[in-house]
Amino acid sequence: MKVRKGDTVKILAGKDKGKSGAVLKVFPVEGRLIVEGLNLVVKHVRPRKQGEKGQKLYIPARIQAAKVMVVCKNCSKAVRTGYAFTDNNGVREKQRVCKKCKQNI
Ligand SMILES: [Zn+2]
């Protein structure tokens, strides 16, 4: 999965198509992630104590990673990402790069 926590992503499908937001959490096994303030679902909460009212809570739901694109920190476009290896004193380091501007992101 090429999306990481803290990334900004653009949503490509669903009711928040076209919007972008920060990634709060990723679920690599499921291939899903949670984007702050987007893909909201209503959670109805029943009153638990006497006198307390029920509420509708809007919470962000998991979205498939294939339905988002990473927004590059350098060129600020929604881009495909790839990986590149750099040589750091003989140690090969894998880095994620933007396919458009070729910078590490
Ligand atoms: Zn870029």
Side-chain angles (χ1 to χ4, degrees):
M1 219 165 119
K2 288 168 180 176
V3 185
R4 294 180 195 149
K5 184 180 169 183
D7 282 346
T8 304
V9 292
K10 188 178 177 188
I11 296 190
L12 308 175
K15 61 185 174 184
D16 289 318
K17 187 173 176 176
K19 295 180 189 171
S20 50
V23 176
L24 296 181
K25 200 167 182 189
V26 290
F27 302 90
V29 176
E30 286 178 45
R32 286 171 193 257
L33 51 105
I34 289 178
V35 185
E36 188 176 23
L38 297 177
N39 198 34
L40 298 176
V41 292
V42 183
K43 185 177 182 179
H44 298 269
V45 181
R46 299 204 121 256
R48 311 206 84 209
K49 292 178 193 140
Q50 194 93 51
E52 204 179 68
K53 278 188 176 174
Q55 295 181 68
K56 279 186 191 172
L57 294 179
Y58 291 85
I59 56 166
R62 297 172 192 200
I63 188 168
Q64 290 173 21
K67 294 182 178 176
V68 303
M69 269 180 109
V70 177
V71 176
C72 176
K73 284 170 194 149
N74 281 291
C75 57
S76 58
K77 290 173 194 154
V79 291
R80 288 175 298 131
T81 56
Y83 291 98
F85 291 93
T86 51
D87 191 59
N88 184 15
N89 299 325
V91 183
R92 251 158 59 101
E93 286 185 343
K94 192 179 181 184
Q95 265 150 347
R96 191 176 62 164
V97 294
C98 167
K99 288 271 192 182
K100 276 194 177 145
C101 66
K102 313 290 180 197
Q103 296 293 309
N104 293 338
I105 54 170

XYZ file of all heavy atoms in Angstrom:
814
model
N 0.838 -1.195 0.000
C 0.000 0.000 0.000
C 0.869 1.240 0.000
O 1.789 1.348 0.796
C -0.851 -0.024 1.281
C -2.239 0.459 1.077
S -3.233 -0.019 2.495
C -3.690 1.599 3.056
N 0.581 2.146 -0.929
C 1.471 3.292 -1.093
C 1.054 4.508 -0.281
O 1.704 5.540 -0.316
C 1.569 3.634 -2.573
C 2.380 2.584 -3.317
C 2.278 2.707 -4.804
C 3.132 1.618 -5.458
N 3.007 1.621 -6.906
N -0.047 4.365 0.434
C -0.522 5.483 1.253
C -0.060 5.274 2.686
O -0.108 4.164 3.203
C -2.066 5.576 1.200
C -2.544 6.805 1.952
C -2.546 5.618 -0.228
N 0.404 6.346 3.299
C 0.852 6.256 4.687
C 0.075 7.238 5.548
O -0.483 8.212 5.037
C 2.330 6.635 4.788
C 3.236 5.659 4.090
C 4.668 6.131 4.250
N 5.528 5.431 3.326
C 6.620 5.960 2.786
N 6.957 7.202 3.082
N 7.360 5.268 1.973
N 0.123 6.972 6.829
C -0.463 7.881 7.813
C 0.192 9.253 7.673
O 1.413 9.349 7.526
C -0.202 7.304 9.199
C -0.816 8.052 10.334
C -0.462 7.328 11.614
C -0.822 8.172 12.811
N -0.414 7.517 14.056
N -0.612 10.307 7.711
C -0.059 11.652 7.611
C -0.047 12.218 6.197
O 0.115 13.415 6.016
N -0.234 11.345 5.200
C -0.296 11.801 3.814
C -1.568 12.613 3.584
O -2.561 12.423 4.275
C -0.395 10.600 2.857
C 0.923 9.908 2.632
O 1.956 10.490 2.978
O 0.902 8.785 2.096
N -1.516 13.456 2.568
C -2.748 14.078 2.086
C -3.177 13.262 0.865
O -2.342 12.936 0.022
C -2.494 15.539 1.679
O -1.939 16.209 2.805
C -3.780 16.232 1.278
N -4.441 12.900 0.832
C -4.923 12.120 -0.318
C -6.132 12.795 -0.942
O -6.871 13.523 -0.289
C -5.297 10.665 0.071
C -4.073 9.873 0.462
C -6.342 10.608 1.158
N -6.311 12.529 -2.245
C -7.483 13.008 -2.951
C -8.389 11.813 -3.174
O -7.925 10.739 -3.565
C -7.052 13.613 -4.287
C -8.177 14.311 -5.006
C -7.674 14.915 -6.297
C -8.830 15.535 -7.042
N -8.417 15.968 -8.386
N -9.679 12.001 -2.919
C -10.634 10.903 -3.062
C -11.186 10.868 -4.482
O -11.561 11.894 -5.039
C -11.734 11.026 -1.980
C -11.062 10.851 -0.615
C -12.851 10.034 -2.209
C -11.960 10.697 0.550
N -11.197 9.668 -5.063
C -11.552 9.516 -6.475
C -12.958 8.975 -6.691
O -13.441 8.959 -7.817
C -10.553 8.560 -7.157
C -9.071 8.865 -7.000
C -8.247 7.766 -7.611
C -8.732 10.191 -7.644
N -13.591 8.487 -5.635
C -14.894 7.862 -5.807
C -15.763 8.124 -4.586
O -15.263 8.477 -3.522
C -14.720 6.366 -6.008
N -17.056 7.975 -4.765
C -17.977 8.100 -3.638
C -18.457 9.521 -3.419
O -18.200 10.414 -4.228
N -19.125 9.740 -2.307
C -19.774 11.034 -2.072
C -18.801 12.182 -1.840
O -19.173 13.336 -1.980
C -20.767 10.918 -0.909
C -20.155 10.524 0.415
C -21.224 10.323 1.477
C -20.624 9.786 2.751
N -21.646 9.494 3.760
N -17.580 11.877 -1.483
C -16.575 12.920 -1.280
C -15.548 12.972 -2.408
O -14.431 13.466 -2.232
C -15.871 12.728 0.069
C -16.791 13.046 1.235
O -17.523 14.040 1.139
O -16.795 12.294 2.217
N -15.966 12.469 -3.567
C -15.107 12.481 -4.756
C -14.578 13.886 -5.027
O -15.340 14.852 -5.017
C -15.958 12.016 -5.936
C -15.248 11.793 -7.234
C -16.224 11.179 -8.216
C -15.612 11.003 -9.573
N -16.546 10.309 -10.477
N -13.275 13.989 -5.261
C -12.684 15.280 -5.575
C -12.129 16.032 -4.373
O -11.314 16.916 -4.526
N -12.565 15.639 -3.172
C -12.071 16.319 -1.972
C -10.761 15.693 -1.515
O -10.465 14.548 -1.826
C -13.096 16.213 -0.843
C -14.394 16.936 -1.130
C -15.345 16.775 0.028
C -16.723 17.310 -0.335
N -17.706 16.952 0.707
N -10.018 16.445 -0.714
C -8.802 15.858 -0.173
C -8.691 16.116 1.317
O -9.295 17.048 1.847
C -7.570 16.361 -0.926
O -7.591 17.747 -1.017
N -7.939 15.260 1.974
C -7.775 15.368 3.412
C -6.596 14.540 3.884
O -5.975 13.811 3.107
N -6.322 14.670 5.175
C -5.183 13.974 5.766
C -5.569 12.549 6.175
O -6.688 12.305 6.621
C -4.688 14.732 6.983
N -4.623 11.642 6.015
C -4.844 10.251 6.402
C -4.600 10.108 7.901
O -3.538 10.463 8.402
C -3.908 9.305 5.616
C -4.065 7.869 6.078
C -4.182 9.411 4.130
N -5.608 9.613 8.596
C -5.493 9.452 10.048
C -4.944 8.089 10.422
O -4.217 7.928 11.392
C -6.858 9.624 10.715
C -7.528 10.988 10.615
C -8.847 10.959 11.344
C -6.635 12.064 11.188
N -5.357 7.080 9.645
C -4.967 5.720 9.991
C -4.997 4.860 8.735
O -5.847 5.072 7.873
C -5.963 5.167 11.024
C -5.438 4.006 11.818
C -6.302 3.683 13.010
C -5.661 2.538 13.782
N -6.494 1.991 14.826
N -4.085 3.901 8.634
C -4.129 2.974 7.510
C -4.276 1.550 8.026
O -3.798 1.213 9.106
C -2.877 3.067 6.589
C -2.855 4.354 5.818
C -1.599 2.884 7.364
N -4.968 0.733 7.235
C -5.180 -0.669 7.567
C -4.617 -1.488 6.402
O -5.354 -1.824 5.474
C -6.673 -0.946 7.756
C -7.310 -0.097 8.821
C -7.873 1.134 8.520
C -7.325 -0.525 10.146
C -8.456 1.927 9.500
C -7.902 0.257 11.135
C -8.465 1.478 10.817
N -3.318 -1.776 6.417
C -2.675 -2.438 5.284
C -3.275 -3.803 4.944
O -3.349 -4.159 3.771
C -1.216 -2.580 5.720
C -1.041 -1.599 6.805
C -2.363 -1.500 7.488
N -3.702 -4.546 5.933
C -4.250 -5.876 5.681
C -5.564 -5.778 4.904
O -5.817 -6.540 3.974
C -4.449 -6.641 7.021
C -5.101 -7.994 6.781
C -3.123 -6.812 7.727
N -6.371 -4.795 5.261
C -7.643 -4.576 4.576
C -7.481 -3.759 3.305
O -8.378 -3.726 2.473
C -8.584 -3.759 5.471
C -9.174 -4.492 6.618
C -10.044 -3.558 7.458
O -10.840 -2.799 6.884
O -9.905 -3.581 8.674
N -6.357 -3.065 3.192
C -6.172 -2.165 2.058
C -7.078 -0.952 2.142
O -7.536 -0.440 1.130
N -7.344 -0.527 3.338
C -8.229 0.618 3.537
C -7.568 1.662 4.423
O -6.560 1.373 5.072
C -9.538 0.170 4.191
C -10.454 -0.564 3.247
C -11.608 -1.161 4.015
N -12.319 -2.109 3.177
C -13.483 -1.837 2.593
N -14.072 -0.691 2.781
N -14.058 -2.735 1.825
N -8.177 2.843 4.462
C -7.638 3.903 5.295
C -8.750 4.841 5.726
O -9.846 4.816 5.169
C -6.547 4.666 4.542
C -6.903 5.173 3.138
C -7.138 6.641 3.165
C -5.814 4.813 2.181
N -8.424 5.670 6.700
C -9.380 6.654 7.189
C -8.846 8.042 6.884
O -7.689 8.352 7.178
C -9.639 6.471 8.712
C -10.450 5.195 8.933
C -10.369 7.675 9.293
C -10.725 4.869 10.376
N -9.684 8.854 6.235
C -9.310 10.218 5.892
C -10.088 11.167 6.799
O -11.297 11.010 6.984
C -9.624 10.534 4.413
C -9.125 11.918 4.044
C -8.988 9.499 3.497
N -9.370 12.118 7.355
C -9.962 13.066 8.296
C -11.125 13.842 7.670
O -10.973 14.481 6.629
C -8.873 14.059 8.724
C -9.296 14.980 9.829
C -8.142 15.887 10.275
O -7.208 16.107 9.496
O -8.210 16.353 11.420
N -12.288 13.743 8.298
C -13.448 14.535 7.878
C -14.127 14.121 6.589
O -15.041 14.790 6.132
N -13.689 13.003 5.995
C -14.287 12.574 4.730
C -14.808 11.146 4.833
O -14.411 10.397 5.712
C -13.262 12.680 3.589
C -12.763 14.088 3.273
C -11.709 14.046 2.200
C -13.902 14.989 2.828
N -15.684 10.813 3.884
C -16.372 9.518 3.876
C -17.074 9.284 5.227
O -16.933 8.246 5.851
C -15.394 8.380 3.548
C -16.093 7.126 3.098
O -17.130 7.177 2.451
N -15.545 5.974 3.456
N -17.833 10.298 5.630
C -18.483 10.247 6.936
C -19.704 9.341 6.919
O -20.435 9.286 5.934
C -18.915 11.652 7.363
C -17.799 12.666 7.550
C -18.370 14.027 7.872
C -16.837 12.231 8.648
N -19.899 8.645 7.991
C -21.109 7.848 8.182
C -21.757 8.306 9.486
O -21.089 8.818 10.375
C -20.818 6.321 8.239
C -20.347 5.815 6.896
C -19.839 5.982 9.326
N -23.064 8.124 9.560
C -23.778 8.544 10.754
C -23.825 7.388 11.737
O -24.215 6.280 11.389
C -25.226 8.978 10.431
C -25.916 9.490 11.689
C -25.248 10.036 9.353
N -23.386 7.661 12.934
C -23.501 6.662 13.980
C -24.543 7.166 14.970
O -24.413 8.259 15.532
C -22.157 6.462 14.677
C -22.223 5.338 15.689
C -20.896 5.072 16.344
C -21.097 3.905 17.299
N -19.886 3.513 17.988
N -25.611 6.383 15.129
C -26.680 6.787 16.030
C -26.359 6.247 17.410
O -26.145 5.052 17.586
C -28.021 6.218 15.551
C -28.403 6.722 14.197
N -29.153 7.845 14.008
C -28.099 6.269 12.960
C -29.302 8.054 12.711
N -28.680 7.107 12.053
N -26.300 7.144 18.373
C -25.971 6.743 19.737
C -27.224 6.854 20.598
O -27.859 7.908 20.645
C -24.834 7.636 20.305
C -24.470 7.203 21.713
C -23.621 7.557 19.400
N -27.571 5.756 21.236
C -28.746 5.742 22.118
C -28.398 6.427 23.435
O -27.239 6.413 23.848
C -29.163 4.288 22.422
C -29.538 3.493 21.199
C -30.474 2.353 21.576
N -31.716 2.486 20.856
C -32.852 2.912 21.369
N -32.917 3.241 22.641
N -33.938 2.995 20.641
N -29.388 7.000 24.094
C -29.108 7.566 25.417
C -28.712 6.453 26.384
O -29.332 5.400 26.408
C -30.439 8.204 25.820
C -31.461 7.610 24.940
C -30.788 7.189 23.679
N -27.679 6.673 27.125
C -27.183 5.611 28.018
C -27.569 5.865 29.464
O -27.699 4.954 30.256
C -25.666 5.459 27.876
C -25.239 5.362 26.414
C -23.970 4.620 26.243
N -24.233 3.182 26.204
C -23.359 2.272 26.600
N -22.202 2.647 27.102
N -23.639 0.998 26.499
N -27.703 7.150 29.806
C -28.088 7.474 31.179
C -29.431 8.187 31.165
O -29.844 8.721 30.140
C -27.041 8.397 31.820
C -25.712 7.737 32.070
C -24.731 8.743 32.665
C -23.328 8.193 32.627
N -22.343 9.205 32.270
N -30.064 8.233 32.305
C -31.334 8.953 32.451
C -31.127 10.433 32.131
O -30.173 11.036 32.603
C -31.837 8.803 33.892
C -33.273 9.198 34.093
C -34.200 8.002 33.960
O -33.975 6.984 34.587
N -35.217 8.130 33.133
N -32.004 10.974 31.287
C -31.910 12.398 30.992
C -30.981 12.724 29.828
O -31.025 13.829 29.289
N -30.157 11.767 29.441
C -29.234 11.984 28.337
C -29.982 11.758 27.025
O -30.875 10.916 26.964
C -28.091 10.976 28.454
C -26.807 11.393 27.782
C -25.706 10.350 27.964
O -25.840 9.251 27.395
O -24.741 10.639 28.674
N -29.602 12.515 26.017
C -30.281 12.354 24.731
C -29.458 11.502 23.780
O -28.241 11.446 23.887
C -30.514 13.730 24.103
C -31.746 14.423 24.653
C -32.045 15.672 23.867
C -33.335 16.305 24.357
N -33.578 17.599 23.696
N -30.178 10.874 22.826
C -29.487 10.147 21.767
C -28.855 11.158 20.823
O -29.279 12.302 20.761
N -27.821 10.746 20.128
C -27.132 11.666 19.224
C -26.848 10.991 17.903
O -26.805 9.773 17.810
C -25.771 12.044 19.809
C -25.772 12.810 21.073
C -24.338 13.111 21.463
O -23.665 13.884 20.802
N -23.873 12.473 22.520
N -26.633 11.850 16.895
C -26.126 11.355 15.618
C -24.681 11.804 15.556
O -24.398 13.001 15.589
C -26.868 12.003 14.460
C -28.188 11.402 14.128
C -28.668 12.089 12.865
C -30.101 11.761 12.563
N -30.574 12.596 11.433
N -23.778 10.871 15.490
C -22.370 11.229 15.391
C -21.899 10.980 13.966
O -22.212 9.946 13.381
C -21.520 10.388 16.355
C -21.726 10.599 17.850
C -20.808 9.668 18.615
C -21.442 12.031 18.246
N -21.173 11.934 13.414
C -20.611 11.763 12.073
C -19.161 11.329 12.226
O -18.330 12.098 12.701
C -20.713 13.067 11.284
C -22.156 13.392 10.945
C -22.969 14.065 11.847
C -22.690 12.966 9.740
C -24.295 14.330 11.541
C -24.015 13.216 9.423
C -24.817 13.899 10.331
O -26.126 14.146 10.035
N -18.892 10.100 11.857
C -17.525 9.611 12.011
C -16.974 9.175 10.653
O -17.720 8.665 9.820
C -17.423 8.454 13.048
C -18.352 7.301 12.677
C -17.716 8.954 14.450
C -18.073 6.035 13.440
N -15.671 9.400 10.399
C -15.103 8.995 9.118
C -14.969 7.477 9.039
O -14.480 6.831 9.965
C -13.736 9.680 9.081
C -13.424 10.009 10.493
C -14.704 10.101 11.244
N -15.435 6.915 7.913
C -15.371 5.466 7.712
C -14.161 5.113 6.861
O -13.581 5.963 6.197
C -16.642 4.988 7.036
N -13.802 3.843 6.893
C -12.666 3.357 6.106
C -12.995 3.421 4.620
O -14.109 3.115 4.223
C -12.359 1.906 6.481
C -11.934 1.785 7.916
C -11.833 0.352 8.335
N -11.695 0.313 9.784
C -11.208 -0.726 10.444
N -10.840 -1.814 9.815
N -11.105 -0.674 11.748
N -12.018 3.809 3.840
C -12.190 3.869 2.392
C -11.090 3.027 1.755
O -9.994 2.925 2.302
C -12.187 5.333 1.881
C -12.556 5.392 0.399
C -10.879 6.034 2.146
C -12.862 6.801 -0.091
N -11.413 2.408 0.618
C -10.424 1.575 -0.059
C -9.265 2.430 -0.578
O -9.488 3.492 -1.154
C -11.068 0.842 -1.236
C -12.041 -0.222 -0.806
C -12.792 -0.809 -1.981
O -12.358 -0.721 -3.118
N -13.927 -1.398 -1.680
N -8.077 1.942 -0.380
C -6.876 2.675 -0.779
C -6.834 2.917 -2.284
O -6.254 3.897 -2.753
C -5.626 1.919 -0.340
N -7.470 2.025 -3.057
C -7.487 2.164 -4.515
C -8.348 3.348 -4.946
O -8.262 3.786 -6.080
C -7.989 0.879 -5.152
N -9.165 3.848 -4.047
C -10.061 4.959 -4.379
C -9.510 6.306 -3.957
O -10.234 7.294 -3.943
C -11.442 4.711 -3.754
C -12.123 3.507 -4.379
C -13.487 3.272 -3.839
C -14.114 2.089 -4.561
N -15.430 1.770 -3.999
N -8.243 6.327 -3.594
C -7.598 7.602 -3.266
C -6.273 7.702 -4.013
O -5.709 6.702 -4.442
C -7.323 7.767 -1.742
C -8.592 7.645 -0.932
C -6.271 6.794 -1.252
N -5.812 8.940 -4.192
C -4.484 9.161 -4.762
C -3.714 10.045 -3.806
O -4.273 10.970 -3.209
C -4.593 9.881 -6.109
C -4.695 8.955 -7.284
S -4.819 9.900 -8.796
C -3.213 9.559 -9.486
N -2.438 9.771 -3.677
C -1.586 10.574 -2.796
C -1.359 11.942 -3.438
O -1.097 12.031 -4.634
C -0.229 9.863 -2.563
C 0.694 10.720 -1.709
C -0.433 8.518 -1.916
N -1.470 12.990 -2.624
C -1.141 14.333 -3.104
C 0.322 14.590 -2.761
O 0.727 14.476 -1.608
C -2.063 15.399 -2.454
C -1.653 16.801 -2.865
C -3.515 15.145 -2.832
N 1.098 14.903 -3.807
C 2.544 15.096 -3.637
C 2.839 16.352 -2.834
O 2.206 17.380 -3.015
C 3.188 15.182 -5.010
S 4.935 15.536 -4.963
N 3.830 16.243 -1.931
C 4.200 17.386 -1.095
C 4.955 18.445 -1.892
O 4.964 19.609 -1.542
C 5.096 16.919 0.065
C 4.312 16.230 1.160
C 5.254 15.562 2.155
C 4.488 14.603 3.033
N 5.310 13.470 3.460
N 5.616 17.997 -2.970
C 6.395 18.934 -3.767
C 5.568 19.670 -4.804
O 5.570 20.887 -4.865
C 7.527 18.187 -4.480
C 8.677 17.926 -3.555
O 9.373 18.849 -3.149
N 8.858 16.678 -3.185
N 4.872 18.893 -5.641
C 4.155 19.535 -6.749
C 2.670 19.723 -6.436
O 1.935 20.268 -7.250
C 4.376 18.746 -8.034
S 3.914 17.023 -7.977
N 2.239 19.260 -5.272
C 0.849 19.347 -4.803
C -0.203 18.919 -5.824
O -1.257 19.499 -5.926
C 0.546 20.732 -4.214
O 0.782 21.744 -5.139
N 0.130 17.869 -6.577
C -0.834 17.250 -7.478
C -1.170 15.867 -6.943
O -0.372 15.273 -6.224
C -0.220 17.079 -8.878
C -0.014 18.364 -9.637
C 0.746 18.068 -10.911
C 1.278 19.346 -11.528
N 2.466 19.092 -12.352
N -2.337 15.355 -7.340
C -2.662 13.970 -7.030
C -1.874 13.114 -8.001
O -2.019 13.263 -9.208
C -4.150 13.730 -7.181
N -0.992 12.283 -7.466
C -0.056 11.571 -8.336
C -0.022 10.076 -8.042
O -0.441 9.619 -6.983
C 1.392 12.112 -8.167
C 1.497 13.505 -8.721
C 1.834 12.049 -6.730
N 0.506 9.355 -9.045
C 0.845 7.965 -8.804
C 2.196 7.977 -8.085
O 2.985 8.902 -8.256
C 0.965 7.208 -10.129
C -0.372 6.971 -10.800
C -0.191 6.337 -12.158
N 0.573 7.232 -13.017
C 1.637 6.847 -13.732
N 2.076 5.604 -13.672
N 2.258 7.699 -14.507
N 2.454 6.948 -7.300
C 3.744 6.896 -6.617
C 4.476 5.626 -7.005
O 3.864 4.634 -7.373
C 3.579 6.925 -5.083
O 2.731 5.854 -4.703
C 2.988 8.232 -4.602
N 5.790 5.707 -6.919
C 6.602 4.537 -7.180
C 7.680 4.482 -6.116
O 7.662 5.269 -5.168
N 8.595 3.557 -6.300
C 9.686 3.456 -5.343
C 11.012 3.576 -6.064
O 11.155 3.188 -7.219
C 9.611 2.121 -4.588
C 8.415 2.080 -3.672
C 7.244 1.444 -4.063
C 8.444 2.728 -2.440
C 6.134 1.433 -3.242
C 7.346 2.724 -1.611
C 6.197 2.073 -2.006
O 5.094 2.081 -1.188
N 11.986 4.128 -5.392
C 13.320 4.256 -5.954
C 14.316 3.915 -4.859
O 14.026 4.080 -3.669
C 13.553 5.667 -6.455
N 15.449 3.409 -5.276
C 16.485 3.068 -4.306
C 17.600 4.091 -4.379
O 18.027 4.480 -5.453
C 17.035 1.673 -4.581
C 16.036 0.598 -4.284
C 15.207 0.114 -5.292
C 15.886 0.114 -2.998
C 14.266 -0.867 -5.007
C 14.954 -0.865 -2.711
C 14.142 -1.352 -3.720
N 18.070 4.521 -3.211
C 19.211 5.427 -3.189
C 20.320 4.734 -2.407
O 20.060 3.889 -1.555
C 18.870 6.766 -2.506
O 18.285 6.488 -1.241
C 17.922 7.590 -3.345
N 21.532 5.107 -2.727
C 22.673 4.497 -2.073
C 23.191 5.418 -0.975
O 23.651 6.517 -1.249
C 23.770 4.228 -3.108
C 24.856 3.362 -2.515
O 24.546 2.248 -2.077
O 26.011 3.818 -2.472
N 23.066 4.958 0.265
C 23.538 5.754 1.395
C 24.710 5.019 2.047
O 24.527 4.159 2.882
C 22.380 5.966 2.387
C 22.753 6.857 3.553
O 23.771 7.549 3.506
N 21.945 6.824 4.595
N 25.930 5.350 1.606
C 27.161 4.689 2.071
C 27.064 3.164 1.988
O 27.337 2.451 2.951
C 27.504 5.110 3.508
C 27.749 6.603 3.618
O 28.288 7.222 2.694
N 27.338 7.191 4.729
N 26.648 2.706 0.827
C 26.569 1.260 0.607
C 25.278 0.623 1.082
O 25.051 -0.551 0.842
N 24.440 1.390 1.766
C 23.161 0.841 2.216
C 22.082 1.304 1.250
O 21.905 2.489 1.008
C 22.828 1.326 3.656
C 21.528 0.694 4.136
C 23.966 0.994 4.597
N 21.395 0.305 0.684
C 20.328 0.640 -0.248
C 19.096 1.078 0.536
O 18.602 0.339 1.382
C 19.986 -0.590 -1.100
C 20.429 -0.464 -2.544
C 20.558 -1.820 -3.183
N 19.289 -2.556 -3.157
C 18.466 -2.653 -4.211
N 18.761 -2.077 -5.345
N 17.368 -3.374 -4.130
N 18.628 2.270 0.244
C 17.432 2.752 0.930
C 16.284 2.894 -0.052
O 16.444 3.452 -1.128
C 17.717 4.103 1.603
C 18.577 3.946 2.830
C 18.784 5.234 3.596
O 18.543 6.310 3.030
O 19.206 5.148 4.762
N 15.155 2.340 0.349
C 13.979 2.395 -0.513
C 13.185 3.658 -0.173
O 12.903 3.915 0.991
C 13.123 1.158 -0.252
C 12.020 0.941 -1.257
C 11.272 -0.313 -0.890
C 10.165 -0.581 -1.895
N 9.361 -1.748 -1.505
N 12.882 4.412 -1.202
C 12.100 5.619 -0.970
C 10.920 5.708 -1.920
O 10.996 5.264 -3.051
C 12.985 6.852 -1.137
C 13.533 7.320 0.187
C 14.866 7.982 0.071
O 15.521 7.911 -0.955
N 15.269 8.641 1.139
N 9.864 6.280 -1.416
C 8.682 6.463 -2.239
C 8.857 7.756 -3.033
O 9.249 8.774 -2.472
C 7.450 6.552 -1.337
C 6.137 6.472 -2.071
C 5.001 6.481 -1.109
N 5.002 7.734 -0.356
C 3.958 8.164 0.346
N 2.889 7.454 0.437
N 4.030 9.294 0.995
N 8.602 7.706 -4.307
C 8.759 8.901 -5.142
C 7.476 9.231 -5.901
O 6.657 8.364 -6.169
C 9.920 8.748 -6.170
C 11.254 8.664 -5.469
C 9.713 7.565 -7.081
N 7.383 10.513 -6.209
C 6.282 11.007 -7.033
C 6.602 10.682 -8.486
O 7.717 10.895 -8.938
C 6.179 12.515 -6.823
S 5.140 13.363 -8.004
N 5.618 10.143 -9.222
C 5.860 9.783 -10.622
C 5.957 10.994 -11.528
O 6.447 10.908 -12.632
C 4.742 8.868 -11.119
C 4.796 7.463 -10.541
C 5.642 6.552 -11.394
C 5.436 5.106 -10.980
N 6.301 4.202 -11.765
N 5.460 12.141 -11.038
C 5.505 13.338 -11.881
C 6.791 14.125 -11.683
O 7.495 14.425 -12.628
C 4.293 14.224 -11.599
C 3.088 13.771 -12.391
C 1.991 14.808 -12.411
C 0.841 14.310 -13.284
N -0.459 14.710 -12.787
N 7.093 14.478 -10.421
C 8.260 15.337 -10.205
C 9.488 14.556 -9.750
O 10.553 15.141 -9.576
C 7.925 16.459 -9.230
S 7.564 15.894 -7.558
N 9.340 13.242 -9.563
C 10.447 12.346 -9.206
C 11.090 12.638 -7.849
O 12.197 12.206 -7.569
C 11.554 12.337 -10.280
C 11.066 12.192 -11.705
C 10.526 10.815 -11.997
C 10.054 10.735 -13.430
N 9.171 9.588 -13.664
N 10.416 13.452 -7.025
C 10.959 13.758 -5.701
C 10.483 12.726 -4.690
O 9.447 12.095 -4.876
C 10.473 15.148 -5.264
C 10.970 16.297 -6.120
C 12.457 16.500 -6.006
O 13.010 16.588 -4.915
N 13.121 16.564 -7.146
N 11.249 12.612 -3.621
C 10.828 11.734 -2.531
C 9.619 12.339 -1.843
O 9.599 13.526 -1.555
C 11.941 11.598 -1.487
C 13.134 10.873 -2.041
O 13.043 10.130 -3.005
N 14.285 11.106 -1.428
N 8.640 11.494 -1.594
C 7.483 11.994 -0.846
C 7.124 11.032 0.269
O 7.608 9.913 0.310
C 6.232 12.258 -1.733
C 5.856 11.012 -2.560
C 6.446 13.464 -2.620
C 4.540 11.113 -3.254
Zn 5.381 15.519 -7.216
